[in-house]
Amino acid sequence: MNEFVQAKQQLLSIHEPLLNLAKSYESKWVENKISQLQSRLNKEAFEIMVIGEFSNGKSTLINALLGDVILPASLSPTTTILNRIVHQELPTFTVHYENGKKKKITRESFTKLVAPNPKDFKNETALQDYVEEVILPIRHAEIGYPTDLCKEDVVLIDSPGMNDNDELREAVTTNYIPKSDAAIFVINARKALSQTEMDLMKRLYTKDVTKVFFVLNFADLLNEAQRQEVYEFVYENLLEFTSEPKIYFTAARSALIHHRLNNGETLDRKLTRRLIPFEETGIQKLKDDLLQFLIVEKGLEKIHRAVDGYEQVITQFGENTIQFEIDSLQNDAQKIEQQIAEITAKLKELPGKIKKSRKNASKVLEREKTKILMGYKSELYDISKIAQGIMTEGMRDKRH
């Protein structure tokens, strides 16, 4: 644990220099990413998100891992909400609303809230009104339960299904993925890796969640040859995202029925008709590996994920900064080229302007010359008139 704290502090020590560098370049993306990384690293809880398509058995799998029916199976994806399961000595159910308020409710009320009886609604409009008035104002539900999986600040997150074409519910899951530290990806073994699941896989790894447990549920409905075929198909496709995919076959429904019987419940024979032995359900193997991961690798995974995040930020920031500098230089070069072009154009215009100026100057000089000559001519005319007058007077004096 000391090594984890030390590594955590070393990572946080580069936070301020990176943040200041991002601010100096006015890179909002880097600022936000660094703040997100710091928040995730400082977060004490280790969050494991359970994701998958609606009706793949996510809630049943979580119940099987917990050993009790805590999450009711909703018959309609429209009433599903995000559930956070934390460790508590006694079961508790708290609804958290978008307006910041929260309300403790009973187990029965929680079941009725997220898995109402379809007979309670007259028609589809009545169900939609219920969703808008009751379900949509809920941010999430927090469920406390005495499970060893959630000790040491571990939180299991049951997310809404991803294939019901509802943007709001899909956004809930998508927005929560970056906050998660690991994931359990529940896949229907009978129809493994749909396009929706492949898209979700890309989103998962794009958000840096690299520790993923892949669960192929309903495995009890396949024979051995079918299992092998499905395993090879899934394994090959997962190599696109991870070099060592962890794949588990489970029969969550059978495992949960075993728990319910062990808890003293009396169940209908229809539920127990195709029951397989508990040790063949794969739930214990999955739970043991999860516990091993949480005990040994939890802190290490948090550090590795943070390191990967900081490396990604530094790499992209470096590339973006270099590109920014290149763009700036290119912009400067373009400005200089534009200025040169403008000067060249002006220089090209100059001879014409000089010629025109010379022509104009010649006209002005010609006019001035004409004015001067006319002035001189006028003065000469006046002088000649005076001289002629003097000469006429002199001739008169001689005669007398």
Side-chain angles (χ1 to χ4, degrees), residues 55-241:
S55 78
N56 276 5
K58 294 192 312 299
S59 298
T60 303
L61 179 77
I62 293 173
N63 287 334
L65 289 169
L66 297 177
D68 198 357
V69 182
I70 302 301
L71 299 173
S74 176
L75 297 176
S76 170
T78 57
T79 59
T80 55
I81 60 174
L82 187 138
N83 302 301
R84 292 170 52 88
I85 301 153
V86 299
H87 184 271
Q88 293 285 352
E89 291 303 321
L90 295 172
T92 59
F93 298 83
T94 307
V95 178
H96 293 252
Y97 293 92
E98 293 289 355
N99 61 10
K101 293 182 180 180
K102 58 183 180 179
K103 180 183 178 182
K104 283 193 174 183
I105 59 175
T106 64
R107 187 171 185 165
E108 292 73 21
S109 297
F110 176 71
T111 300
K112 189 176 180 181
L113 176 71
V114 297
N117 191 331
K119 294 179 181 179
D120 294 340
F121 307 102
K122 296 178 181 179
N123 48 43
E124 189 66 29
T125 302
L127 175 60
Q128 190 59 39
D129 289 342
Y130 175 80
V131 170
E132 291 179 4
E133 295 170 12
V134 180
I135 300 298
L136 291 182
I138 298 174
R139 178 177 296 169
H140 68 267
E142 185 166 289
I143 301 159
Y145 192 77
T147 172
D148 47 359
L149 272 176
C150 294
K151 285 182 178 179
E152 304 296 333
D153 294 315
V154 174
V155 181
L156 273 180
I157 299 169
D158 173 36
S159 64
M162 292 294 289
N163 60 329
D164 65 339
N165 298 319
D166 186 280
E167 292 182 1
L168 286 175
R169 283 188 295 279
E170 188 171 322
V172 169
T173 301
T174 301
N175 293 337
Y176 222 97
I177 287 175
K179 304 174 188 176
S180 305
D181 299 293
I184 299 173
F185 201 124
V186 184
I187 300 166
N188 188 335
R190 296 171 298 176
K191 47 178 183 178
L193 297 186
S194 65
Q195 186 58 52
T196 304
E197 287 171 333
M198 291 300 289
D199 292 342
L200 181 55
M201 206 93 66
K202 290 175 184 176
R203 228 174 301 172
L204 195 67
Y205 279 91
T206 301
K207 299 295 183 181
D208 308 324
V209 183
T210 56
K211 193 65 178 182
V212 184
F213 296 82
F214 296 97
V215 175
L216 298 175
N217 200 22
F218 304 110
D220 51 328
L221 302 179
L222 304 178
N223 58 40
E224 195 59 39
Q226 289 171 327
R227 281 195 186 195
Q228 186 60 32
E229 185 181 348
V230 170
Y231 180 87
E232 290 174 1
F233 171 75
V234 172
Y235 186 89
E236 185 179 340
N237 279 275
L238 292 181
L239 290 176
E240 178 184 345
F241 307 100

Side-chain angles (χ1 to χ4, degrees), residues 249-311:
F249 280 103
T250 64
R253 178 181 170 278
S254 284
L256 181 57
I257 290 173
H258 277 290
H259 285 307
R260 293 175 69 181
L261 290 171
N262 291 337
N263 293 341
E265 283 190 59
T266 302
L267 302 176
D268 193 302
R269 275 192 178 182
K270 291 180 181 178
L271 290 176
T272 60
R273 188 176 297 164
R274 298 184 63 181
L275 195 64
I276 64 173
F278 180 78
E279 57 271 18
E280 294 179 15
T281 64
I283 290 296
Q284 194 59 52
K285 168 65 174 169
L286 174 62
K287 187 174 181 178
D288 289 346
D289 283 7
L290 281 169
L291 285 170
Q292 178 71 11
F293 165 71
L294 292 171
I295 292 168
V296 179
E297 301 178 50
K298 182 181 73 173
L300 190 62
E301 177 62 25
K302 202 179 246 306
I303 292 297
H304 280 167
R305 193 174 175 208
V307 169
D308 290 342
Y310 277 111
E311 283 182 350

Side-chain angles (χ1 to χ4, degrees), residues 271-393:
L271 290 176
T272 60
R273 188 176 297 164
R274 298 184 63 181
L275 195 64
I276 64 173
F278 180 78
E279 57 271 18
E280 294 179 15
T281 64
I283 290 296
Q284 194 59 52
K285 168 65 174 169
L286 174 62
K287 187 174 181 178
D288 289 346
D289 283 7
L290 281 169
L291 285 170
Q292 178 71 11
F293 165 71
L294 292 171
I295 292 168
V296 179
E297 301 178 50
K298 182 181 73 173
L300 190 62
E301 177 62 25
K302 202 179 246 306
I303 292 297
H304 280 167
R305 193 174 175 208
V307 169
D308 290 342
Y310 277 111
E311 283 182 350
Q312 183 185 33
V313 168
I314 292 168
T315 300
Q316 291 190 7
F317 180 58
E319 289 174 354
N320 292 342
T321 303
I322 291 168
Q323 189 59 47
F324 174 79
E325 298 291 354
I326 290 171
D327 291 343
S328 296
L329 289 172
Q330 287 177 341
N331 288 335
D332 290 342
Q334 287 173 357
K335 286 179 182 177
I336 292 169
E337 286 176 2
Q338 187 178 353
Q339 290 173 351
I340 290 170
E342 288 174 359
I343 293 169
T344 303
K346 288 179 180 178
L347 287 172
K348 286 180 180 179
E349 293 173 2
L350 200 56
K353 288 184 177 179
I354 292 171
K355 188 175 180 181
K356 188 177 179 181
S357 297
R358 282 177 178 172
K359 192 174 181 181
N360 290 337
S362 297
K363 286 181 180 179
V364 171
L365 288 171
E366 193 64 37
R367 282 199 299 270
E368 290 298 320
K369 177 183 173 184
T370 303
K371 282 171 66 177
I372 292 168
L373 289 173
M374 290 295 291
Y376 284 149
K377 284 180 179 179
S378 179
E379 287 182 17
L380 286 170
Y381 178 77
D382 291 339
I383 291 170
S384 65
K385 289 288 284 182
I386 293 169
Q388 188 176 359
I390 293 170
M391 287 176 66
T392 304
E393 282 295 327

